[in-house]
DNA sequence: ATCCAGGCTCCTG
DNA sequence: CAGGAGCATGGA
């Protein structure tokens, strides 16, 4: 007998100020967000396995920026307490709903350019990638290729994974599990526009996860430097990638991928260098945001992505 | 066509 | 330890 679909609705109260519209607009144009569906600029949907069950999460906004209330709908088979708790904590984590942005604003506003960016997106906080593993896949995919193409590759990877779930009559793609990517072949990926190196990086890092040489969950408690080191051990994972994963996958508030070409471009422009900033210059500029360098990075990238006048 | 893109590895000096 | 060549692929 087929189990019935269950649905639970929860109300979330983010720390104010919070503007979900900005977060959804960000996701709608974010190249990494291929599994997130943004409908009508006001509804977020995403299917993901949490607490062992595939769930469909829907998030929408109520309230105001200063008194934000969000409505989270959780749907799935076998819905139970663990799934509901996991869904809530997932959304809290991805949208950073429990973080107080006050100190970040105070630090960031000392810089006139960053001040302009955060004012333009008032109430927005960094939006994370759905899991450290997804962030790792995305970072490797994104190495040294333009983001439009990177997005295409991620979509391809998802389709090759063939993992999906049907909930309430709708079919939703899931991110392939490490086991699935580990079993892909270099030839298959190459035939789908992945370079040989990239194919091997993705396959091997996934194998490392399956075989336990890389335990992403265990990084949660570690210091930034320790985490970086345990990531960089793996071929294809350099400093940029590791810092990116900490920032976007783990929500490390102070991690900045300073070698990033986008950061180097926009900081060169913002500070009138007449050229790209060097990695070292990016690190030097970023010292003023110590404690919040990951958040600052998010807003710099956002300015770039939205072509905001600086 | 040519340059460049949300880098990494490996090899020099 | 710093610097740079070579890489592999598609976008604009």
């Amino acid at each position: 007998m087929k189990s019935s679909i269950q649905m639970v609705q929860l109300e979330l109260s983010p720390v104010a100020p919070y503007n979900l519209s900005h977060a959804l607009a960000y996701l709608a144009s974010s190249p990494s967000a291929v599994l997130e569906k943004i409908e009508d600029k006001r509804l977020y949907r995403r299917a993901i396995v949490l607490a062992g069950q595939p769930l469909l999460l829907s998030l929408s906004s109520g309230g105001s920026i200063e008194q934000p209330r969000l409505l989270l709908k959780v749907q799935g088979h076998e819905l139970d307490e663990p799934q509901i708790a996991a869904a809530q904590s997932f959304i809290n984590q991805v949208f950073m709903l429990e973080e107080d942005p006050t100190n970040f604003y105070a630090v960031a506003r000392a810089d006139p350019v960053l001040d302009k960016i955060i004012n333009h997106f008032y109430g927005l906080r960094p939006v994370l990638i759905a899991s450290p593993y997804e962030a790792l896949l995305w970072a490797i995919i994104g190495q040294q290729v333009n983001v439009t193409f990177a997005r295409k590759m991620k979509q391809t990877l998802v389709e090759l994974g063939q993992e999906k779930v049907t909930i309430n009559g709708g079919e939703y793609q899931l991110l392939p599990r490490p086991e699935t990517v580990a079993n892909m072949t270099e030839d298959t990926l190459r035939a789908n526009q992945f370079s040989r190196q990239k194919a091997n990086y993705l396959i091997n890092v996934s194998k490392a996860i399956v075989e336990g040489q890389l335990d992403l969950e265990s990084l949660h408690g570690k210091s930034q430097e320790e985490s970086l080191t345990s990531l960089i051990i793996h071929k294809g994972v350099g400093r940029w990638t590791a810092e990116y994963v900490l920032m976007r996958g783990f929500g490390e508030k102070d991690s900045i991928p300073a070698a990033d070409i986008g950061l180097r471009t926009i900081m060169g422009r913002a500070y009138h260098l007449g050229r790209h900033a060097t990695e070292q210059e990016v690190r030097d500029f970023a010292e003023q945001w110590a404690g919040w360098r990951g958040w600052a990075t998010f807003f710099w990238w956002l300015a770039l992505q939205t072509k905001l006048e600086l």
Side-chain angles (χ1 to χ4, degrees), chain A residues 31 144 147 236 238 241 301:
Chain A
Q144 183 60 21
V147 292
T241 300
W301 278 339

Coordinates of all heavy atoms in Angstrom, one line a residue, chain A residues 31 144 147 236 238 241 301, chain B residues 4-10:
Chain A
P31 N 23.6 31.5 -10.3 CA 23.9 30.4 -11.2 C 24.0 29.0 -10.5 O 23.7 28.0 -11.2 CB 25.3 30.7 -11.7 CG 25.9 31.8 -10.9 CD 24.7 32.5 -10.3
Q144 N 37.4 28.3 -12.8 CA 38.0 28.7 -14.1 C 37.1 28.7 -15.3 O 37.5 28.6 -16.4 CB 39.3 27.9 -14.3 CG 40.1 28.3 -15.6 CD 40.6 29.7 -15.6 OE1 40.6 30.3 -14.5 NE2 40.9 30.2 -16.7
V147 N 30.3 31.5 -15.2 CA 29.3 30.9 -14.4 C 28.1 30.4 -15.2 O 27.4 29.5 -14.8 CB 28.8 31.9 -13.3 CG1 29.9 32.1 -12.3 CG2 28.3 33.2 -14.0
G236 N 42.2 18.7 -6.7 CA 41.2 19.5 -7.3 C 40.5 20.5 -6.3 O 39.7 21.3 -6.7
G238 N 41.6 23.4 -4.2 CA 42.6 24.3 -3.8 C 42.1 25.3 -2.7 O 41.0 25.1 -2.2
T241 N 38.7 27.0 -3.6 CA 37.5 26.0 -3.5 C 37.2 25.8 -2.0 O 36.0 25.8 -1.6 CB 37.9 24.7 -4.2 OG1 38.2 25.0 -5.5 CG2 36.8 23.7 -4.1
W301 N 29.9 40.0 -4.4 CA 29.5 39.1 -5.5 C 28.1 39.6 -6.0 O 27.8 39.5 -7.2 CB 29.5 37.7 -5.1 CG 30.9 37.0 -5.2 CD1 31.9 37.5 -5.9 CD2 31.3 35.8 -4.5 NE1 33.0 36.6 -5.7 CE2 32.6 35.6 -4.9 CE3 30.7 34.9 -3.7 CZ2 33.3 34.5 -4.4 CZ3 31.4 33.8 -3.2 CH2 32.7 33.6 -3.6
Chain B
dC4 P 41.9 39.2 -21.7 OP1 41.9 40.6 -21.2 OP2 43.2 38.4 -21.8 O5' 40.9 38.4 -20.9 C5' 39.5 38.8 -21.1 C4' 38.6 37.7 -20.5 O4' 38.6 36.6 -21.4 C3' 39.1 37.1 -19.2 O3' 38.0 37.1 -18.3 C2' 39.5 35.7 -19.5 C1' 38.6 35.4 -20.6 N1 39.0 34.2 -21.5 C2 38.1 33.2 -21.8 O2 37.0 33.4 -21.4 N3 38.5 32.2 -22.5 C4 39.8 32.1 -23.0 N4 40.1 31.0 -23.7 C5 40.7 33.1 -22.6 C6 40.3 34.1 -21.9
dA5 P 38.1 37.4 -16.8 OP1 37.5 38.7 -16.5 OP2 39.4 37.0 -16.3 O5' 37.0 36.3 -16.2 C5' 35.7 36.4 -16.8 C4' 35.1 35.0 -16.8 O4' 35.9 34.1 -17.7 C3' 35.1 34.3 -15.5 O3' 33.9 33.6 -15.3 C2' 36.3 33.2 -15.6 C1' 36.2 32.9 -17.1 N9 37.4 32.4 -17.7 C8 38.6 32.9 -17.7 N7 39.5 32.2 -18.4 C5 38.7 31.2 -19.0 C6 39.1 30.1 -19.8 N6 40.3 29.9 -20.3 N1 38.1 29.2 -20.1 C2 36.9 29.4 -19.7 N3 36.4 30.4 -18.9 C4 37.4 31.2 -18.5
dG6 P 32.8 34.3 -14.3 OP1 31.6 33.5 -14.5 OP2 32.9 35.7 -14.4 O5' 33.4 33.9 -12.8 C5' 34.0 32.6 -12.6 C4' 34.8 32.8 -11.3 O4' 34.0 33.4 -10.3 C3' 35.2 31.5 -10.7 O3' 36.4 31.6 -10.0 C2' 34.1 31.1 -9.8 C1' 33.5 32.5 -9.4 N9 32.1 32.5 -9.5 C8 31.3 32.2 -10.6 N7 30.0 32.3 -10.3 C5 29.9 32.8 -9.0 C6 28.8 33.1 -8.2 O6 27.6 33.0 -8.6 N1 29.2 33.5 -7.0 C2 30.5 33.6 -6.5 N2 30.7 34.0 -5.3 N3 31.5 33.3 -7.3 C4 31.2 32.9 -8.5
dG7 P 37.8 31.7 -10.8 OP1 38.6 32.7 -10.3 OP2 37.5 31.6 -12.2 O5' 38.4 30.2 -10.5 C5' 39.3 30.1 -9.3 C4' 39.6 28.6 -9.2 O4' 40.0 28.2 -10.6 C3' 40.7 28.2 -8.3 O3' 40.4 27.0 -7.7 C2' 41.9 28.2 -9.1 C1' 41.3 27.7 -10.5 N9 42.1 28.3 -11.6 C8 42.4 29.6 -11.8 N7 43.0 29.8 -12.9 C5 43.1 28.6 -13.5 C6 43.7 28.2 -14.7 O6 44.3 28.9 -15.5 N1 43.6 26.8 -14.9 C2 43.0 26.0 -14.1 N2 43.0 24.7 -14.4 N3 42.4 26.3 -13.0 C4 42.5 27.6 -12.7
dC8 P 41.4 26.4 -6.6 OP1 40.7 25.7 -5.6 OP2 42.4 27.4 -6.2 O5' 42.2 25.3 -7.5 C5' 41.5 24.3 -8.1 C4' 42.4 23.2 -8.7 O4' 42.9 23.8 -9.9 C3' 43.6 22.9 -7.8 O3' 43.8 21.5 -7.7 C2' 44.8 23.6 -8.4 C1' 44.4 23.7 -9.9 N1 44.9 24.9 -10.6 C2 45.6 24.8 -11.8 O2 45.7 23.7 -12.3 N3 46.1 25.9 -12.3 C4 45.9 27.1 -11.8 N4 46.4 28.2 -12.4 C5 45.2 27.3 -10.5 C6 44.7 26.1 -10.0
dT9 P 44.9 21.0 -6.8 OP1 44.4 19.8 -6.1 OP2 45.5 22.1 -6.0 O5' 46.0 20.5 -7.8 C5' 45.6 19.8 -9.0 C4' 46.8 19.6 -9.9 O4' 47.1 20.8 -10.6 C3' 48.1 19.1 -9.2 O3' 48.6 18.0 -10.0 C2' 49.0 20.3 -9.2 C1' 48.5 21.0 -10.5 N1 48.7 22.5 -10.5 C2 49.2 23.1 -11.6 O2 49.6 22.5 -12.6 N3 49.3 24.5 -11.5 C4 48.9 25.3 -10.4 O4 49.0 26.5 -10.5 C5 48.3 24.6 -9.3 C7 47.9 25.4 -8.1 C6 48.3 23.3 -9.4
dC10 P 49.8 17.2 -9.4 OP1 49.5 15.8 -9.8 OP2 50.0 17.5 -8.0 O5' 51.0 17.7 -10.3 C5' 50.9 18.0 -11.6 C4' 52.1 18.8 -12.1 O4' 51.9 20.2 -11.9 C3' 53.4 18.4 -11.4 O3' 54.4 18.2 -12.4 C2' 53.6 19.6 -10.5 C1' 53.1 20.7 -11.3 N1 52.7 21.9 -10.5 C2 52.8 23.2 -11.1 O2 53.2 23.3 -12.2 N3 52.5 24.3 -10.3 C4 52.0 24.1 -9.1 N4 51.7 25.2 -8.4 C5 51.9 22.8 -8.5 C6 52.2 21.8 -9.2

